[in-house]
């Protein structure tokens, strides 16, 4: 077990890597009531481990990330007489963490909360950093706050029940972390992603730890995302357009987004072609998509539609080299061209 | 014109006393779009002064303080293409400030915002301190955040259109500030509240300034209300029960609440009877209610109903003397007895 501590403006978060969910109670010490928010999938798989906690169950899937679900959660929190002396724990993937963080940050103007992420994506990325939010009228995460959970308990054993495609989604964010801030991690992933994917203990612990270290550094420097933290959006500009246009899972969409951004990086930020190639090969090997195929037209259409919102220039994250990201202004036409060039 | 600066954990707020609303634009400097949120009453009275701003209008009254209204505001913000480079200004009383603060704090995880309070209650209290929120299932302000506005522009001339009973509501909070933290202000109010009420310049400026100084001191020391800030709730425990049970306006309800709390203070915190009497006389002179009359039974019933939520002991603010508040545990029966004793 290894503890990392994230210090940010809104508070600090204790991240327990390789901890067991069976020790959850100890992390809520001193609290009156403890209530767990989870979804029906996670409850079916891990409900036994949550005995003794009050449970608020939400439906799984992106469709739950709404103000209406938040309203239902608020209603249940009132019924359970949760107050500021209580503790709220989100047990699940990114969606459960998002809803939990938003509800806990706004109920009674803030009740302490923590996370037990049950997907690799949530362990390496979504559960850490304090961002939370719900979707509104087709806009992702447009309503939310930034507030740190008190803890994030990463139990690698929970990943055993995770479908392969869900593991891949998590690796996409690990590759991103390596690409923008940790060149040795990229080499490590090239050599060891299979071991990590098979939950070989040292390998999965290193991948989660090193990915989080990149994220934590950016978040402590710039919690409210005005500068350094924006670099975590590498691959996400095109990635979000893909997600919105095609409904592709987040990790897959940003895999393609990273390949597009790496292409632009070659043209505008000095990334060597062989480095862009390394990134693409690794993503392919992991089993992530690196091209749009038949969906290209829909995505180009979505990017063009968003022209008004983007403006003429888009602030994007590019790579100078593996492990070093920079912010650059990219013309909408340049972005379109690079997407159009992808096979 | 006089500038006060509130420094709190979540940010700092520039309070401009005696500024004119006509200079509003200057306070939003550097922002892209500026949008004003107001209600139909304020717009009818002061709409001329808001020419050139995009306006989001909400219905006046407590009924607007809901997640649904917040949802409507989010929809309009999207239509107006408001983003984190924009600025949102709430122009109105406490309800407009509450909705504006909540919407601005959660839309895109936080857009800069400011307030132009148009009631005395909002100028001396509601617009300052960073608390915002909406009601939910009968619970007041149960959903919200704490986030400081960038500025609070207090234009005393806006108070000219305020009905007398609304002025009285504001004075209740000024008396509260004096009672818990500024004995000389209480003396000043005794001698000058009429001048202030008539908007005699020096008098209104002093009352707003000195009241805010008490509030700002508590908020800078304890933004998240775990200790010192709780003292601002003097009169509010019984006051909120009255508001909930009878729908009485906030200022009137806390006026009665202060008389009840002063009574308890005599028994439990050493407040001299003649000091409690001074407080009551001043409130009466201002025209605020100091007794429950026919509504007593409903309020006692509400307090008893809340027994479960309150627990056996209630943490209440009491006075040792005028200008000095302490926290004390009060038994529910003691609170009931003091309310029952009031004429």
């Amino acid at each position: 077990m290894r503890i990392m501590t994230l210090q940010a403006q809104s508070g600090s978060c204790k991240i327990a890597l390789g901890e067991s969910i069976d020790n959850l109670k100890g992390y809520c010490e001193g609290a009156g009531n403890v209530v767990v928010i989870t979804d029906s999938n996670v409850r079916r798989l891990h409900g036994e481990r949550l005995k003794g906690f009050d449970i608020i169950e939400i439906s799984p899937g992106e469709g739950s990330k709404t103000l209406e679900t938040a309203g239902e959660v608020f209603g249940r929190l009132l019924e359970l007489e949760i107050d500021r002396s209580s503790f709220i724990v989100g047990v699940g993937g990114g969606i459960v963490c998002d809803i939990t963080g938003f509800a806990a940050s706004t109920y009674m103007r803030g009740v302490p909360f923590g996370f037990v992420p049950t997907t690799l994506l949530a362990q390496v990325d979504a559960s850490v950093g304090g961002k939370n939010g719900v979707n509104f009228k087709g806009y992702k995460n447009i309503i939310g706050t930034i507030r740190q959970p008190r803890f994030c308990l990463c139990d690698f054993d929970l990943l055993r029940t995770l479908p392969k495609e869900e593991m891949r989604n998590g690796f996409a964010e690990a590759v991103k972390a390596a690409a923008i801030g940790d060149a040795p991690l990229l080499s490590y992933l090239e050599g060891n992603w299979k071991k990590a994917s098979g939950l070989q203990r040292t390998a999965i612990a290193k991948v989660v730890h090193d990915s989080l270290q990149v994220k934590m550094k950016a978040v402590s420097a710039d919690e409210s995302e005005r500068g350094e933290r924006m670099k975590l959006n590498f691959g996400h500009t095109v990635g979000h357009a893909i997600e919105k246009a095609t409904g592709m899972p987040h990790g897959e969409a940003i895999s393609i987004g990273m390949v597009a951004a790496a292409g632009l990086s070659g043209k505008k930020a000095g990334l060597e072609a062989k480095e862009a190639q390394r990134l693409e090969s690794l993503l392919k090997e992991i089993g992530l998509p690196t091209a749009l195929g038949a969906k290209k037209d829909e995505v180009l259409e979505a990017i063009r539609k968003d022209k008004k919102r983007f403006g003429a220039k888009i602030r994007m994250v590019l790579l100078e080299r593996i492990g070093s990201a920079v912010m650059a202004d990219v013309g909408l036409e340049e972005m379109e061209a690079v997407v159009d060039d992808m096979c």
Side-chain angles (χ1 to χ4, degrees), chain A:
Chain A
M1 219 264 290
R2 188 166 178 182
I3 299 283
M4 302 168 85
T5 305
L6 169 63
Q7 295 283 2
Q9 207 212 326
S10 77
S12 76
C13 174
K14 181 173 163 181
I15 300 163
L17 295 182
E19 177 58 284
S20 163
I21 190 174
D22 297 329
N23 298 325
L24 174 56
K25 209 149 225 166
Y27 286 79
C28 313
E29 233 180 332
N33 291 346
V34 179
V35 59
V36 164
I37 301 181
T38 190
D39 69 25
S40 45
N41 284 342
V42 174
R43 194 174 187 180
R44 197 182 60 246
L45 292 166
H46 307 295
E48 277 297 305
R49 319 283 290 272
L50 298 171
K51 276 194 173 159
F53 294 103
D54 283 318
I55 305 249
I56 298 177
E57 186 182 301
I58 63 172
S59 304
E62 191 77 17
S64 284
K65 264 181 65 170
T66 60
L67 279 177
E68 288 69 37
T69 306
E72 288 161 25
V73 170
F74 294 142
R76 290 280 291 134
L77 293 172
L78 282 169
E79 282 168 21
L80 292 166
E81 296 179 21
I82 297 302
D83 62 25
R84 294 206 287 178
S85 72
S86 310
F87 212 103
I88 304 178
V89 183
V91 180
I95 292 159
V96 166
C97 292
D98 260 324
I99 285 279
T100 302
F102 180 65
S105 299
T106 54
Y107 178 77
M108 299 188 96
R109 298 198 184 96
V111 172
F113 66 103
F115 293 139
V116 181
T118 58
T119 65
L120 182 59
L121 185 65
Q123 290 195 356
V124 299
D125 189 57
S127 68
V128 168
K131 277 192 189 179
N132 58 59
V134 297
N135 306 330
F136 187 78
K137 300 208 172 177
Y139 291 88
K140 278 188 70 109
N141 303 318
I142 194 92
I143 311 300
T145 71
I146 296 181
R147 193 151 165 274
Q148 296 303 324
R150 294 283 176 92
F151 68 81
C152 179
L153 188 166
C154 291
D155 181 342
F156 304 133
D157 289 333
L158 296 176
L159 305 178
R160 294 200 185 283
T161 53
L162 209 63
K164 276 265 172 305
E165 63 268 28
E166 271 298 319
M167 282 300 278
R168 286 200 288 268
N169 272 316
F171 277 111
E173 290 288 358
V175 170
K176 180 205 75 181
I180 63 168
D182 189 345
L185 175 59
L186 199 88
S187 307
Y188 185 83
L189 282 165
E190 287 172 327
N192 300 277
W193 75 267
K194 264 189 195 157
K195 279 189 214 156
S197 186
L199 297 180
Q200 194 271 327
R201 194 80 183 175
T202 331
I204 188 71
K206 181 175 167 66
V207 168
V208 176
H209 173 273
D210 291 6
S211 302
L212 284 182
Q213 206 154 46
V214 172
K215 177 148 196 181
M216 288 165 67
K217 205 175 141 197
V219 173
S220 349
D222 169 37
E223 190 180 32
S224 61
E225 199 179 17
R226 312 282 157 177
E228 198 59 23
R229 186 170 185 168
M230 295 174 82
K231 293 185 180 167
L232 297 171
N233 292 328
F234 177 62
H236 282 58
T237 310
V238 172
H240 278 160
I242 297 173
E243 248 180 301
K244 205 174 158 184
T246 69
M248 198 182 278
H250 183 70
E252 295 183 19
I254 68 149
S255 174
I256 301 171
M258 284 192 279
V259 175
L264 276 166
S265 300
K267 287 181 189 148
K268 298 187 58 103
L271 183 71
E272 286 180 37
K274 67 173 201 301
E275 296 293 274
Q277 195 47 57
R278 268 181 76 196
L279 201 64
E280 189 171 340
S281 303
L282 174 58
L283 293 166
K284 256 189 198 145
E285 213 190 301
I286 291 169
L288 285 159
T290 54
L292 280 165
K295 288 167 178 164
K296 194 158 82 174
D297 289 340
E298 298 164 55
V299 173
L300 277 172
E301 181 60 26
I303 291 174
R304 281 182 197 122
K305 260 196 180 163
D306 263 354
K307 198 168 201 153
K308 203 168 148 205
R309 198 166 63 88
F310 281 138
K313 290 273 180 195
I314 304 154
R315 196 107 184 108
M316 255 181 94
V317 188
L318 300 181
L319 302 180
E320 306 176 293
R321 56 181 186 280
I322 297 292
S324 178
V326 290
M327 302 300 303
D329 286 326
V330 177
L332 187 62
E333 289 70 23
E334 289 176 288
M335 189 165 98
E336 278 179 28
V338 96
V339 172
D340 204 24
D341 271 358
M342 293 175 82
C343 316

